Amino acid sequence: MRENLPDNAILRAWKATLGRCGRRPAVLGADGSVLRTFAEIEAEAVAVESALDQCKPESVVAVEIGNSERWPALLLALFRRRCIPLPLGGHLGGAEREAALQTCRAAAIVTIANDALTVQCRATSDASWDGRSPDFLKLTSGTTNAPRAIRFRAEQLVADCEHICATMGITGRDLNYGAIPFSHSYGFSNLLTPLLCRGVPLVATGDRMPRALLDGL
């Protein structure tokens, strides 16, 4: 694990989760197979971080990998590089996707090709931030249908996770079924942050409602 980590609330919570959960199943497939333990997520995050050397600190890195089991490790690696993740949904078309990337001044985009993560750098000016840079960006079209980015700090993402888990009674004894996109705000806060911050395992599936309920749940 990288020393002298930035004061990132998700990384602090993950350290506690890893120490508590260790080799427990963390990410499962729709067939019930274990895709990642918590310890394997940590090992993968270390490996992925070395592949992000071309991504500068405080640069925006778009993530377009669907509901992949690689999401938790990639998120940890980006935070450790002090990059700013920008989740992208697969529903975005060519022009809309490019507009989102330009609006957020994404310096790179991470996709999956041949079952491996691929980092593609983009020609873009360095992002400048008023004061402290954000830790995370969420896309929204608002009421204008034009892409806009909302800035988040890691502590705000953790607070959102804690409120959701407390309100819905979600604990580490539960299993979240990922039938909504991890890239969506609700999917991210209901599935990924509970796994990293509270040790709530999840099922990674590309199925959507209602088929996910009929075939997987």
Side-chain angles (χ1 to χ4, degrees):
M1 187 179 296
R2 180 183 290 270
E3 298 295 332
N4 301 319
L5 291 175
D7 186 24
N8 183 299
I10 288 182
L11 293 180
R12 292 199 307 270
W14 167 249
K15 184 177 181 179
T17 296
L18 182 62
R20 186 175 66 254
C21 299
R23 298 197 175 278
R24 282 173 42 194
V27 183
L28 290 82
D31 61 356
S33 60
V34 177
L35 302 179
R36 298 287 190 282
T37 64
F38 287 91
E40 286 170 344
I41 288 175
E42 173 61 23
E44 184 182 12
V46 173
V48 171
E49 187 181 358
S50 65
L52 297 173
D53 287 339
Q54 54 196 316
C55 300
K56 298 179 181 179
E58 299 189 355
S59 65
V60 176
V61 178
V63 179
E64 190 180 39
I65 62 173
N67 278 18
S68 170
E69 67 273 14
R70 294 173 175 82
W71 248 112
L74 176 57
L75 190 61
L76 292 171
L78 288 169
F79 281 147
R80 288 172 179 168
R81 294 288 306 173
R82 293 194 297 117
C83 295
I84 303 166
L86 170 69
L88 292 183
H91 66 286
L92 294 176
E96 187 179 8
R97 177 178 180 271
E98 183 59 31
L101 293 171
Q102 290 185 10
T103 296
C104 299
R105 288 177 292 181
I109 180 168
V110 180
T111 57
I112 293 180
N114 298 321
D115 201 35
L117 292 178
T118 299
V119 182
Q120 178 185 356
C121 292
R122 292 170 49 85
T124 184
S125 59
D126 291 337
S128 58
W129 307 100
D130 297 329
R132 175 183 163 186
S133 62
D135 296 315
F136 193 81
L137 295 180
K138 290 185 180 183
L139 273 182
T140 177
S141 60
T143 57
T144 65
N145 204 35
R148 296 183 179 183
I150 302 176
R151 305 181 188 185
F152 285 88
R153 301 277 174 84
E155 54 264 32
Q156 293 173 317
L157 297 175
V158 172
D160 191 25
C161 163
E162 291 176 347
H163 291 157
I164 288 173
C165 289
T167 300
M168 301 180 71
I170 299 173
T171 73
R173 295 187 299 272
D174 295 309
L175 175 64
N176 272 330
Y177 195 94
I180 51 179
F182 297 170
S183 59
H184 289 188
S185 178
Y186 190 66
F188 181 88
S189 295
N190 255 72
L191 300 168
L192 291 178
T193 50
L195 184 149
L196 295 174
C197 300
R198 298 175 71 97
V200 182
L202 66 83
V203 175
T205 173
D207 278 347
R208 294 291 176 262
M209 301 285 278
R211 187 177 60 193
L213 293 178
L214 295 173
D215 295 343
L217 190 57

